[in-house]
Amino acid sequence: MSDKQYDAVVIGSGLGGLTAGALLAHAGYSVCLLERNFSLGGAASVYKVGPLTVEASLHQTSDARNPRDVKHDILRRLGILDEIEFLPTGALYTVRGGPVGEPFELPFGFGPAYEALAARFPDKRAPIQRFLGEVEQIHDALWTLKQAREESSFAKFARGLWEVAPAAAGWQNSLHEIMERDFAGCEALKCALGANLAYYGDDPRRLWWIFYALAQGGYIASGGAYIKGGSRQLSLKLAKAITKTGSVVRLGRLVNAIETDSDGAVVAVRHVARRDGEGEERIAARVVMANCAPSEAAAMMDAPARVKMEEAFGARRLSTSLFAANFGLSAKPSTIGLTDFTTVVMPPDMQRFDQYGDGAGAMAEDPKGAMPLHTIANFTAVDSGLWDEPPILVSVLGLDRLDNWRDLPREEAVARRERWLDAFQASLDRDYPGFSSLVTTRMLLNAYSMAGYLNTPEGAVYGFAALPAEAPILMGFPRTPRTPLAGLYLASAFGGEHGFNGAMLSGAEAARLAETRLAVAT
């Protein structure tokens, strides 16, 4: 068995791992990133299934060109901000059905968002202004405090503390509680503001208000964007930021052990070729960045270290999973009237916003009547650079659970997937006549697909659920890349929050913590 040494080993090439590895390499440390698959990016990737090119992610992120977007500074520091083309997707989304009824379009920008909401709900102008004002202030406070830490600026720190006042007031609240405070009895307004909740979770009663304000605030402030060439372009640029320094990215390598010393600090990883399990190599490392679930990292450890990890993370609630029904069309969706980039469709029997997650168990059975809440992604609403020729991708995304498919024989699972594809295709054909005549290929990914592709427990696509904080604000954010093992950091959504922004922020914070340890060790 060969033995090599690096300052840092990164396990996994999701955005958190790539960000951590790129920042450490940029700081002059030697990095080896190991990815079990033969492609980069995890959820931030594009792949082909037969003739159809599929976008693996939730298809949209906030626009990193805004200096206050959380990705902006990371990409600027690495020198790759201008190498990635962010295509504005227009309105954040159009939502229809359920309590909303007729379509409502939520534009980006806090001013335009207020005007659109106030025009639709004129009797709620004051609470709308209050709600959006708090979202904006919480979003800005994060940026100001981040700048204060980086610049050691007391003035910016003081300003950040002032801006964070709304966060302190609602620190332990759920999104449902804040919406009830401002919009009690107006379910249509709640749904108009939270239609894209599936980007973050599945239940406003359990979703942390502060996380919603930070995440949704980023979308409203910066606008939604799709990366030209697909989200894989972001992954490729981050990987290049690692390799151009002389550090290493290796694909098809399966990490099978994380070694610790007598003090419980990580000291090495072992890995093998994924295809045949042979060619084991050992890499001594001063820090290890785990771009994977804590349970996956723990499974690679000896008993004492594994117990510590399980005690720290084993009881935490996992996030939701998702399904994605992907359709390949012979012509652009605009030919049948599908023009918006993002459309959220709520079921007709949905009466309250707190019923948002009721459809997460729908796929435990065959389709019955109206479709559960879902989002339609039309990638040709922008010049994506991927679907200029057929088959042209349209994706339908929604909430799913591994329990919906657990213990189902393979033949029955395949048949149920086909029946759900039939049902969504019929639904789209009713809303956009002629849709079915354009379908040339289709496939449905479910919670099992997410669990297998992302190697995440229960298919949890967002790491741990973003539950309201139990401790007061003085205790800081409840999730951190730190682990009970010295030198091991969570560079993923499990160590921060959800989506591209959350994963990259987690990776950046993990890199900052690792740099501190590496500098002391030096």
Side-chain angles (χ1 to χ4, degrees), residues 95 191 194-195 197-198 323 344-347 350 353 355-357 359 370-375 396-399 424:
V95 54
C191 289
L197 185 71
F323 72 81
V344 182
V345 182
M346 296 183 169
M350 180 177 172
F353 184 51
Q355 295 174 307
Y356 194 100
M371 295 294 94
L373 188 148
H374 58 276
T375 298
V396 177
L397 308 108
L399 303 171
F424 277 115

Side-chain angles (χ1 to χ4, degrees), residues 428-439:
L428 286 161
D429 198 62
R430 286 191 294 271
D431 292 334
Y432 307 98
F435 180 87
S436 285
S437 66
L438 299 181
V439 175

Side-chain angles (χ1 to χ4, degrees), residues 121 123-124 127-128 130-131 175-191 193 351-354:
F121 307 98
D123 60 328
K124 298 292 183 182
I128 291 170
R130 173 183 175 176
F131 183 92
L175 174 60
H176 172 74
E177 289 169 332
I178 298 297
M179 283 193 164
E180 276 293 290
R181 180 200 70 185
D182 290 340
F183 311 126
C186 191
E187 298 300 325
L189 175 51
K190 295 177 188 176
C191 289
L193 272 166
Q351 299 178 349
R352 305 186 314 276
F353 184 51
D354 64 11

Side-chain angles (χ1 to χ4, degrees), residues 106 109-115 117 126-138 182-183 193 209 212 216 220:
L106 184 68
F110 281 97
Y114 168 76
E115 294 298 333
L117 288 161
I128 291 170
Q129 192 170 46
R130 173 183 175 176
F131 183 92
L132 289 178
E134 289 190 8
V135 169
E136 184 174 19
Q137 206 166 339
I138 292 169
D182 290 340
F183 311 126
L193 272 166
W209 153 243
Y212 168 87
Q216 195 79 331
I220 295 174

Side-chain angles (χ1 to χ4, degrees), residues 442-500:
R442 62 186 198 175
M443 59 172 292
L444 187 141
L445 303 174
N446 61 9
Y448 257 115
S449 311
M450 303 298 173
Y453 180 65
L454 300 176
N455 194 32
T456 183
E458 298 298 309
V461 294
Y462 302 134
F464 294 121
L467 303 177
E470 295 180 358
I473 191 171
L474 292 177
M475 300 301 293
F477 269 69
R479 279 160 63 172
T480 170
R482 295 182 188 274
T483 75
L485 304 182
L488 177 68
Y489 305 97
L490 301 177
S492 72
F494 287 95
E497 298 302 344
H498 309 342
F500 284 17

Side-chain angles (χ1 to χ4, degrees), residues 105-173:
E105 184 178 273
L106 184 68
F108 74 88
F110 281 97
Y114 168 76
E115 294 298 333
L117 288 161
R120 182 69 174 258
F121 307 98
D123 60 328
K124 298 292 183 182
R125 287 178 177 270
I128 291 170
Q129 192 170 46
R130 173 183 175 176
F131 183 92
L132 289 178
E134 289 190 8
V135 169
E136 184 174 19
Q137 206 166 339
I138 292 169
H139 170 261
D140 286 351
L142 174 70
W143 185 85
T144 303
L145 290 172
K146 176 175 171 292
Q147 292 295 108
R149 184 175 72 179
E150 291 177 355
E151 299 173 14
S152 300
S153 168
F154 179 78
K156 285 189 176 180
F157 181 73
R159 179 183 167 191
L161 289 179
W162 174 81
E163 288 178 342
V164 86
W171 186 255
Q172 293 176 291
N173 288 120

Side-chain angles (χ1 to χ4, degrees), residues 124-481:
K124 298 292 183 182
R125 287 178 177 270
I128 291 170
Q129 192 170 46
R130 173 183 175 176
F131 183 92
L132 289 178
E134 289 190 8
V135 169
E136 184 174 19
Q137 206 166 339
I138 292 169
H139 170 261
D140 286 351
L142 174 70
W143 185 85
T144 303
L145 290 172
K146 176 175 171 292
Q147 292 295 108
R149 184 175 72 179
E150 291 177 355
E151 299 173 14
S152 300
S153 168
F154 179 78
K156 285 189 176 180
F157 181 73
R159 179 183 167 191
L161 289 179
W162 174 81
E163 288 178 342
V164 86
W171 186 255
Q172 293 176 291
N173 288 120
S174 68
L175 174 60
H176 172 74
E177 289 169 332
I178 298 297
M179 283 193 164
E180 276 293 290
R181 180 200 70 185
D182 290 340
F183 311 126
C186 191
E187 298 300 325
L189 175 51
K190 295 177 188 176
C191 289
L193 272 166
N196 63 335
L197 185 71
Y199 286 17
Y200 319 128
D202 59 354
D203 187 346
R205 294 167 299 187
R206 291 198 298 258
L207 184 71
W208 191 24
W209 153 243
I210 301 302
F211 171 64
Y212 168 87
L214 292 173
Q216 195 79 331
Y219 272 113
I220 295 174
S222 304
Y226 183 76
I227 297 170
K228 186 158 188 174
S231 60
R232 67 180 175 187
Q233 296 302 319
L234 177 56
S235 299
L236 290 171
K237 295 296 184 183
L238 288 168
K240 185 178 178 181
I242 296 174
T243 57
K244 76 177 183 181
T245 67
S247 288
V248 176
V249 173
R250 298 186 65 184
L251 305 179
R253 300 301 299 183
L254 183 65
V255 176
N256 57 1
I258 300 174
E259 297 180 11
T260 55
D261 62 16
S262 58
D263 295 323
V266 296
V267 292
V269 301
R270 297 201 303 271
H271 59 102
V272 296
R274 182 182 178 184
R275 283 197 171 124
D276 55 20
E278 296 183 357
E280 185 173 63
E281 298 178 17
R282 181 181 185 273
I283 301 178
R286 298 161 67 195
V287 296
V288 173
M289 322 301 283
N291 180 225
C292 59
S295 59
E296 292 297 319
M300 305 174 196
M301 301 172 183
D302 289 338
R306 185 167 62 249
V307 169
K308 287 183 180 180
M309 291 289 286
E310 290 170 350
E311 289 175 347
F313 301 107
R316 296 195 184 183
R317 185 186 182 91
L318 295 167
S319 76
T320 186
S321 192
L322 300 172
F323 72 81
N326 297 300
F327 296 92
L329 308 186
S330 60
K332 291 188 175 181
S334 58
T335 62
I336 53 170
L338 178 54
T339 56
D340 293 333
F341 190 88
T342 302
T343 304
V344 182
V345 182
M346 296 183 169
D349 61 348
M350 180 177 172
Q351 299 178 349
R352 305 186 314 276
F353 184 51
D354 64 11
Q355 295 174 307
Y356 194 100
D358 286 0
M363 288 190 172
E365 300 177 324
D366 285 348
K368 294 180 180 178
M371 295 294 94
L373 188 148
H374 58 276
T375 298
I376 303 168
N378 168 23
F379 296 93
T380 55
V382 297
D383 181 19
S384 65
L386 286 172
W387 295 281
D388 296 329
E389 300 294 334
I392 295 165
L393 178 68
V394 168
S395 294
V396 177
L397 308 108
L399 303 171
D400 195 15
R401 297 174 184 153
L402 204 62
D403 281 344
N404 293 338
W405 305 90
R406 202 185 306 274
D407 300 326
L408 192 65
R410 185 179 184 282
E411 296 77 9
E412 292 183 29
V414 170
R416 186 183 294 172
R417 289 190 195 208
E418 288 300 312
R419 288 190 285 270
W420 275 100
L421 284 167
D422 288 342
F424 277 115
Q425 183 171 319
S427 176
L428 286 161
D429 198 62
R430 286 191 294 271
D431 292 334
Y432 307 98
F435 180 87
S436 285
S437 66
L438 299 181
V439 175
T440 60
T441 185
R442 62 186 198 175
M443 59 172 292
L444 187 141
L445 303 174
N446 61 9
Y448 257 115
S449 311
M450 303 298 173
Y453 180 65
L454 300 176
N455 194 32
T456 183
E458 298 298 309
V461 294
Y462 302 134
F464 294 121
L467 303 177
E470 295 180 358
I473 191 171
L474 292 177
M475 300 301 293
F477 269 69
R479 279 160 63 172
T480 170

